[in-house]
Short mmCIF file of all heavy atoms in Angstrom, two decimals:
data_model
loop_
_atom_site.label_atom_id
_atom_site.label_comp_id
_atom_site.label_asym_id
_atom_site.label_seq_id
_atom_site.Cartn_x
_atom_site.Cartn_y
_atom_site.Cartn_z
N GLU A 133 -8.41 -8.00 27.73
CA GLU A 133 -8.32 -6.91 26.71
C GLU A 133 -6.91 -6.87 26.13
O GLU A 133 -6.74 -6.55 24.97
CB GLU A 133 -8.66 -5.53 27.31
CG GLU A 133 -8.55 -4.44 26.25
CD GLU A 133 -9.31 -3.18 26.62
OE1 GLU A 133 -10.04 -3.18 27.62
OE2 GLU A 133 -9.20 -2.21 25.86
N GLY A 134 -5.95 -7.21 26.94
CA GLY A 134 -4.59 -7.25 26.45
C GLY A 134 -3.68 -6.16 27.01
O GLY A 134 -2.66 -5.84 26.45
N HIS A 135 -4.06 -5.60 28.16
CA HIS A 135 -3.26 -4.55 28.78
C HIS A 135 -1.92 -5.06 29.28
O HIS A 135 -1.06 -4.26 29.68
CB HIS A 135 -4.01 -3.91 29.94
CG HIS A 135 -5.12 -3.00 29.50
ND1 HIS A 135 -5.97 -2.39 30.42
CD2 HIS A 135 -5.52 -2.58 28.29
CE1 HIS A 135 -6.85 -1.64 29.75
NE2 HIS A 135 -6.60 -1.74 28.45
N SER A 137 0.39 -6.08 27.47
CA SER A 137 1.39 -5.91 26.42
C SER A 137 1.93 -4.50 26.27
O SER A 137 3.06 -4.32 25.79
CB SER A 137 0.78 -6.35 25.08
OG SER A 137 -0.44 -5.64 24.84
N GLY A 138 1.19 -3.49 26.68
CA GLY A 138 1.57 -2.12 26.36
C GLY A 138 2.83 -1.63 27.03
O GLY A 138 3.64 -0.91 26.43
N VAL A 141 5.80 -2.85 25.19
CA VAL A 141 6.04 -2.01 24.02
C VAL A 141 6.84 -0.77 24.41
O VAL A 141 7.87 -0.43 23.80
CB VAL A 141 4.71 -1.57 23.37
CG1 VAL A 141 4.92 -0.49 22.31
CG2 VAL A 141 3.99 -2.75 22.78
N THR A 194 0.09 3.87 24.07
CA THR A 194 -0.01 2.64 23.29
C THR A 194 -1.17 1.77 23.79
O THR A 194 -1.44 1.72 24.99
CB THR A 194 1.30 1.85 23.36
OG1 THR A 194 1.65 1.54 24.71
CG2 THR A 194 2.43 2.59 22.70
N HIS A 195 -1.82 1.10 22.87
CA HIS A 195 -2.94 0.23 23.21
C HIS A 195 -2.98 -0.95 22.27
O HIS A 195 -2.77 -0.82 21.05
CB HIS A 195 -4.26 0.98 23.18
CG HIS A 195 -5.36 0.29 23.94
ND1 HIS A 195 -6.01 -0.84 23.46
CD2 HIS A 195 -5.89 0.55 25.15
CE1 HIS A 195 -6.89 -1.23 24.37
NE2 HIS A 195 -6.84 -0.40 25.39
N VAL A 196 -3.26 -2.09 22.81
CA VAL A 196 -3.36 -3.31 22.03
C VAL A 196 -4.48 -3.21 20.99
O VAL A 196 -5.51 -2.55 21.24
CB VAL A 196 -3.58 -4.54 22.92
CG1 VAL A 196 -4.92 -4.45 23.65
CG2 VAL A 196 -3.43 -5.85 22.17
N GLY A 197 -4.24 -3.80 19.82
CA GLY A 197 -5.25 -3.84 18.78
C GLY A 197 -5.02 -5.04 17.92
O GLY A 197 -4.30 -5.99 18.32
N ASP A 198 -5.57 -5.04 16.68
CA ASP A 198 -5.34 -6.16 15.78
C ASP A 198 -4.74 -5.69 14.45
O ASP A 198 -4.67 -6.42 13.50
CB ASP A 198 -6.63 -6.96 15.53
CG ASP A 198 -7.80 -6.08 15.10
OD1 ASP A 198 -7.58 -5.17 14.28
OD2 ASP A 198 -8.93 -6.29 15.60
N ASN A 199 -4.28 -4.41 14.44
CA ASN A 199 -3.56 -3.85 13.31
C ASN A 199 -2.56 -2.88 13.87
O ASN A 199 -2.52 -2.63 15.09
CB ASN A 199 -4.52 -3.19 12.29
CG ASN A 199 -3.95 -3.14 10.89
OD1 ASN A 199 -2.96 -2.47 10.64
ND2 ASN A 199 -4.61 -3.84 9.96
N LEU A 200 -1.72 -2.30 13.01
CA LEU A 200 -0.70 -1.35 13.42
C LEU A 200 -1.16 0.00 12.86
O LEU A 200 -1.19 0.19 11.66
CB LEU A 200 0.64 -1.73 12.88
CG LEU A 200 1.89 -0.95 13.30
CD1 LEU A 200 2.08 -1.00 14.81
CD2 LEU A 200 3.13 -1.48 12.60
N GLY A 201 -1.52 0.92 13.78
CA GLY A 201 -2.09 2.15 13.24
C GLY A 201 -2.18 3.24 14.29
O GLY A 201 -1.85 3.07 15.47
N LEU A 344 3.31 -4.49 9.10
CA LEU A 344 2.78 -5.54 9.95
C LEU A 344 3.78 -6.67 10.12
O LEU A 344 4.62 -6.89 9.24
CB LEU A 344 1.48 -6.07 9.37
CG LEU A 344 0.25 -5.16 9.48
CD1 LEU A 344 -0.87 -5.69 8.57
CD2 LEU A 344 -0.21 -5.08 10.93
N TRP A 347 3.32 -12.81 9.66
CA TRP A 347 2.62 -13.89 10.35
C TRP A 347 2.95 -15.24 9.70
O TRP A 347 2.95 -15.36 8.49
CB TRP A 347 1.09 -13.68 10.32
CG TRP A 347 0.63 -12.36 10.83
CD1 TRP A 347 -0.04 -11.39 10.09
CD2 TRP A 347 0.78 -11.83 12.14
NE1 TRP A 347 -0.32 -10.32 10.88
CE2 TRP A 347 0.18 -10.53 12.12
CE3 TRP A 347 1.39 -12.29 13.31
CZ2 TRP A 347 0.15 -9.72 13.28
CZ3 TRP A 347 1.35 -11.49 14.44
CH2 TRP A 347 0.72 -10.23 14.42
N LEU A 370 -5.45 -13.19 10.77
CA LEU A 370 -4.77 -11.95 11.14
C LEU A 370 -4.68 -11.01 9.93
O LEU A 370 -4.52 -11.46 8.81
CB LEU A 370 -3.38 -12.25 11.67
CG LEU A 370 -3.36 -13.18 12.91
CD1 LEU A 370 -1.95 -13.69 13.17
CD2 LEU A 370 -3.92 -12.46 14.14
N ASP A 371 -4.71 -9.72 10.19
CA ASP A 371 -4.61 -8.73 9.12
C ASP A 371 -3.26 -8.79 8.45
O ASP A 371 -2.22 -8.95 9.14
CB ASP A 371 -4.85 -7.33 9.67
CG ASP A 371 -6.29 -7.05 9.97
OD1 ASP A 371 -7.17 -7.88 9.59
OD2 ASP A 371 -6.60 -5.99 10.55
N ASP A 375 -3.91 -0.73 8.16
CA ASP A 375 -4.99 0.22 8.10
C ASP A 375 -4.46 1.56 7.56
O ASP A 375 -3.28 1.89 7.77
CB ASP A 375 -5.56 0.45 9.50
CG ASP A 375 -6.41 -0.72 9.99
OD1 ASP A 375 -6.86 -1.53 9.15
OD2 ASP A 375 -6.62 -0.82 11.21
N THR A 403 -2.37 7.97 20.20
CA THR A 403 -2.37 6.56 20.55
C THR A 403 -1.88 5.74 19.37
O THR A 403 -2.33 5.93 18.25
CB THR A 403 -3.79 6.08 20.94
OG1 THR A 403 -4.17 6.72 22.17
CG2 THR A 403 -3.81 4.56 21.14
N ILE A 404 -0.91 4.87 19.62
CA ILE A 404 -0.43 3.92 18.64
C ILE A 404 -0.98 2.54 19.01
O ILE A 404 -0.76 2.08 20.15
CB ILE A 404 1.10 3.91 18.56
CG1 ILE A 404 1.62 5.25 18.02
CG2 ILE A 404 1.60 2.75 17.71
CD1 ILE A 404 3.12 5.44 18.08
N ARG A 405 -1.69 1.92 18.09
CA ARG A 405 -2.20 0.57 18.32
C ARG A 405 -1.33 -0.43 17.57
O ARG A 405 -0.92 -0.18 16.46
CB ARG A 405 -3.66 0.47 17.84
CG ARG A 405 -4.63 1.32 18.67
CD ARG A 405 -6.06 1.12 18.27
NE ARG A 405 -6.94 1.87 19.18
CZ ARG A 405 -7.50 1.36 20.26
NH1 ARG A 405 -7.29 0.09 20.58
NH2 ARG A 405 -8.29 2.09 21.04
N TYR A 406 -1.10 -1.55 18.23
CA TYR A 406 -0.19 -2.55 17.69
C TYR A 406 -0.90 -3.93 17.65
O TYR A 406 -1.82 -4.19 18.47
CB TYR A 406 1.09 -2.62 18.54
CG TYR A 406 0.79 -2.78 20.02
CD1 TYR A 406 0.67 -4.03 20.59
CD2 TYR A 406 0.53 -1.67 20.81
CE1 TYR A 406 0.33 -4.18 21.94
CE2 TYR A 406 0.20 -1.79 22.15
CZ TYR A 406 0.09 -3.04 22.69
OH TYR A 406 -0.25 -3.19 24.02
N PRO A 407 -0.54 -4.81 16.74
CA PRO A 407 -1.36 -5.99 16.43
C PRO A 407 -1.02 -7.24 17.28
O PRO A 407 -0.46 -8.23 16.77
CB PRO A 407 -1.06 -6.26 14.96
CG PRO A 407 0.37 -5.81 14.82
CD PRO A 407 0.53 -4.63 15.76
N SER A 408 -1.38 -7.21 18.55
CA SER A 408 -1.18 -8.39 19.41
C SER A 408 -2.40 -9.18 19.66
O SER A 408 -2.36 -10.18 20.40
CB SER A 408 -0.54 -7.93 20.74
OG SER A 408 0.80 -7.50 20.55
N ASN A 409 -3.54 -8.73 19.12
CA ASN A 409 -4.79 -9.46 19.30
C ASN A 409 -5.33 -9.93 17.97
O ASN A 409 -4.77 -9.65 16.92
CB ASN A 409 -5.81 -8.66 20.09
CG ASN A 409 -6.57 -9.50 21.09
OD1 ASN A 409 -7.25 -10.44 20.70
ND2 ASN A 409 -6.43 -9.21 22.38
N ILE A 410 -6.48 -10.60 18.00
CA ILE A 410 -7.04 -11.26 16.86
C ILE A 410 -8.30 -10.52 16.43
O ILE A 410 -9.15 -10.17 17.27
CB ILE A 410 -7.39 -12.73 17.18
CG1 ILE A 410 -6.11 -13.52 17.49
CG2 ILE A 410 -8.19 -13.42 16.07
CD1 ILE A 410 -6.33 -14.89 18.06
N PRO A 411 -8.49 -10.21 15.14
CA PRO A 411 -9.64 -9.46 14.69
C PRO A 411 -10.96 -10.21 14.99
O PRO A 411 -11.02 -11.41 15.01
CB PRO A 411 -9.43 -9.36 13.18
CG PRO A 411 -7.97 -9.53 12.97
CD PRO A 411 -7.52 -10.46 14.05
N GLY A 412 -12.00 -9.39 15.21
CA GLY A 412 -13.37 -9.94 15.30
C GLY A 412 -13.80 -10.43 16.65
O GLY A 412 -14.92 -10.93 16.79
N ASN A 420 -10.40 -12.45 24.30
CA ASN A 420 -9.31 -11.54 23.97
C ASN A 420 -8.02 -11.82 24.73
O ASN A 420 -6.97 -11.23 24.42
CB ASN A 420 -9.76 -10.10 24.20
CG ASN A 420 -10.81 -9.66 23.19
OD1 ASN A 420 -11.98 -10.04 23.34
ND2 ASN A 420 -10.43 -8.89 22.22
N SER A 423 -4.77 -14.84 22.81
CA SER A 423 -3.55 -14.60 22.04
C SER A 423 -2.48 -13.86 22.81
O SER A 423 -1.34 -13.75 22.35
CB SER A 423 -3.85 -13.78 20.77
OG SER A 423 -4.14 -12.44 21.11
N MET A 424 -2.78 -13.38 24.02
CA MET A 424 -1.96 -12.35 24.64
C MET A 424 -0.69 -12.82 25.30
O MET A 424 0.07 -12.01 25.86
CB MET A 424 -2.79 -11.51 25.62
CG MET A 424 -3.85 -10.64 24.91
SD MET A 424 -3.21 -9.65 23.51
CE MET A 424 -1.84 -8.79 24.28
N ILE A 428 1.75 -14.44 18.50
CA ILE A 428 1.02 -13.31 17.91
C ILE A 428 1.26 -12.05 18.73
O ILE A 428 1.60 -10.99 18.20
CB ILE A 428 -0.47 -13.63 17.79
CG1 ILE A 428 -0.70 -14.77 16.81
CG2 ILE A 428 -1.27 -12.39 17.42
CD1 ILE A 428 -2.12 -15.31 16.79
N ALA A 429 1.09 -12.17 20.05
CA ALA A 429 1.30 -11.00 20.92
C ALA A 429 2.76 -10.57 20.86
O ALA A 429 3.04 -9.36 20.79
CB ALA A 429 0.90 -11.35 22.36
N GLY A 432 3.47 -8.66 17.67
CA GLY A 432 2.80 -7.36 17.67
C GLY A 432 3.47 -6.36 18.59
O GLY A 432 3.58 -5.19 18.25
N VAL A 433 3.94 -6.82 19.76
CA VAL A 433 4.64 -5.95 20.68
C VAL A 433 5.92 -5.40 20.05
O VAL A 433 6.21 -4.21 20.15
CB VAL A 433 4.95 -6.70 21.99
CG1 VAL A 433 6.01 -5.97 22.80
CG2 VAL A 433 3.68 -6.88 22.83
#
Side-chain angles (χ1 to χ4, degrees):
E133 179 160 355
H135 286 175
S137 55
V141 170
T194 57
H195 199 285
V196 65
D198 52 42
N199 205 296
L200 187 59
L344 287 167
W347 307 118
L370 301 167
D371 285 351
D375 287 341
T403 292
I404 293 172
R405 293 184 175 268
Y406 52 91
S408 288
N409 220 299
I410 295 170
N420 290 76
S423 73
M424 290 312 305
I428 294 171
V433 164

